């Protein structure tokens, strides 16, 4: 990057085909985890993935802000010699995709917003539904672990599993997926999570929705898991304001490709073939 940071990335598929897909993972503060999603479409188009600065192979220390992360994506496109790309963002990655589109609409060929961005007053509903899916003991243990500083490796894994298992429609399989994610998506950059979270609250994407609508590419879609504890009504309201289609993925939560792999794969392939 122009500031000397190094970003780790990987490409799949035939890079001669255009436009390519760029996957934007969530967090913020997690390394990239979208390998299964990338493999769904890599035979159709080239797919680029990268660890956002401060995560995974993109080790970096410093203050995080949306502007720098947007610049990172623009510089990566330049490094890949990609004039424009299809952005597929998941969770926080949808927020990053949207903010990139606001700054660089000419470089976004199409966009899929997967389980986000959530705007408006959605957090209270999310917390209530997450608590409903947890036992009282689990809620208490999660609060205890959140207050521990520092945490051991085992405590960190337990905290992440407790925080993530409710993201899935099936609680039993959800616990297994959460434990796997807690072991693989590490270390979490909590400073990055906090700093971008603070900026998101001081300058929420909701303020820019009307401007975003005006600069969206013609092909933009929102996908949401019907059983995501984050209220699907928030995505429905956003899709209405943006005037883009929303697809409900039944029987799936916040990572719908885990619970409805074939449905997500078919939808993404149809989108890209179109």
């Amino acid at each position: 990057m122009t500031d000397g940071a190094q970003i780790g990335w990987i490409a799949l598929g035939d890079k001669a085909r255009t436009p390519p897909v760029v996957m934007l993972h969530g967090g913020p503060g997690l390394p990239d985890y979208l390998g299964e999603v990338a493999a769904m479409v890599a035979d159709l188009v080239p797919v680029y993935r990268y660890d956002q600065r401060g995560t995974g192979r993109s080790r970096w220390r410093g203050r995080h802000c949306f502007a720098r992360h947007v610049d990172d994506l623009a510089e990566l496109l330049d490094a890949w010699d990609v004039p424009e790309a299809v952005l597929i963002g998941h969770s926080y990655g949808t927020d990053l995709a949207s903010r990139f589109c606001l700054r660089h609409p000419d470089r976004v060929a199409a966009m899929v917003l997967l389980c986000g961005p959530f705007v408006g007053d959605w957090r209270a509903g999310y917390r209530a539904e997450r608590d409903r899916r947890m036992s009282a003991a689990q809620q208490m243990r999660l609060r205890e672990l959140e207050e521990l500083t520092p945490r051991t490796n085992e405590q960190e894994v337990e905290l992440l599993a407790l925080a993530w298992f409710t993201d899935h429609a099936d609680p039993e399989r959800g616990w297994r997926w959460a434990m796997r994610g807690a072991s693989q998506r590490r270390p979490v950059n909590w400073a990055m999570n906090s700093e971008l979270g603070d900026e998101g609250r001081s300058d929420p994407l909701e303020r820019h929705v009307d401007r975003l609508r005006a600069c969206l590419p013609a092909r933009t879609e929102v996908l949401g898991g019907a059983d995501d504890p984050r209220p699907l009504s928030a995505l429905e309201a956003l899709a209405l304001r943006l005037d883009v289609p929303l697809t409900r993925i039944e029987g799936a939560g916040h990572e719908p490709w885990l619970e409805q792999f074939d449905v997500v794969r078919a939808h993404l392939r149809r989108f890209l073939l179109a």
Side-chain angles (χ1 to χ4, degrees):
M1 300 294 104
T2 52
D3 66 348
Q6 293 188 337
I7 303 295
W9 59 272
I10 187 170
L12 299 174
D14 180 1
K15 288 188 279 187
R17 297 183 181 183
T18 58
V21 164
V22 178
M23 299 270 178
L24 301 174
H25 65 81
L30 302 178
D32 171 62
Y33 51 79
L34 294 175
E36 291 175 87
V37 183
M40 292 177 173
V41 297
D43 62 315
L44 301 178
V45 291
V47 181
Y48 292 89
R49 297 156 44 210
Y50 69 98
D51 292 319
Q52 294 157 17
R53 66 165 59 212
T55 72
R57 295 167 300 157
S58 303
R59 299 190 177 184
W60 178 80
R61 289 185 179 274
R63 183 127 189 115
H64 291 269
C65 65
F66 289 127
R68 180 64 254 184
H69 283 257
V70 166
D71 288 345
D72 285 349
L73 178 52
E75 289 185 32
L76 285 168
L77 293 179
D78 291 341
W80 299 329
D81 195 23
V82 171
E84 62 174 6
V86 177
L87 302 184
I88 299 181
H90 173 248
S91 193
Y92 158 73
T94 64
D95 194 294
L96 178 57
S98 298
R99 291 177 187 269
F100 182 84
C101 188
L102 285 166
R103 285 263 304 278
H104 302 283
D106 58 317
R107 306 201 72 172
V108 184
M111 192 155 62
V112 177
L113 302 172
L114 181 57
C115 300
F118 290 90
V119 299
D121 185 20
W122 61 272
R123 289 182 177 82
Y126 163 60
R127 294 189 187 102
E129 179 59 21
R130 186 186 70 173
D131 288 348
R132 190 189 68 80
R133 299 183 186 191
M134 301 176 74
S135 68
Q138 287 171 328
Q139 293 177 40
M140 182 179 298
R141 180 58 177 162
L142 179 58
R143 288 193 294 269
E144 290 174 353
L145 290 168
E146 287 172 338
E147 293 171 1
L148 283 179
T149 305
R151 287 182 289 269
T152 66
N153 180 67
E154 292 75 14
Q155 289 168 338
E156 185 82 349
V157 168
E158 184 185 3
L159 178 145
L160 295 174
L162 284 168
W164 292 344
F165 87 95
T166 57
D167 279 350
H168 308 284
D170 183 327
E172 184 174 338
R173 291 192 299 167
W175 183 260
R176 294 199 298 269
W177 285 321
M179 284 295 293
R180 184 179 72 179
S183 300
Q184 296 175 349
R185 301 175 189 180
R186 308 249 331 277
V188 178
N189 188 331
W190 291 108
M192 174 181 174
N193 182 276
S194 176
E195 289 161 7
L196 291 180
D198 288 344
E199 186 176 358
R201 284 183 286 274
S202 64
D203 181 25
L205 185 62
E206 185 174 14
R207 291 180 183 170
H208 310 286
V209 168
D210 292 339
R211 189 160 60 91
L212 178 61
R213 175 177 174 170
C215 66
L216 282 177
R219 289 301 308 279
T220 300
E221 294 189 14
V222 179
L223 277 67
D227 294 308
D228 191 336
R230 298 154 188 81
L232 190 64
S233 59
L235 288 186
E236 291 170 340
L238 174 69
L240 187 64
R241 290 181 63 185
L242 293 177
D243 192 24
V244 299
L246 174 127
T247 299
R248 294 168 52 102
I249 304 174
E250 301 295 336
H254 195 58
E255 298 180 26
W257 63 89
L258 294 177
E259 294 176 285
Q260 299 295 338
F261 182 91
D262 292 339
V263 173
V264 174
R265 181 178 184 273
H267 190 97
L268 293 180
R269 293 177 71 84
R270 282 195 301 269
F271 181 90
L272 293 172
L273 287 170

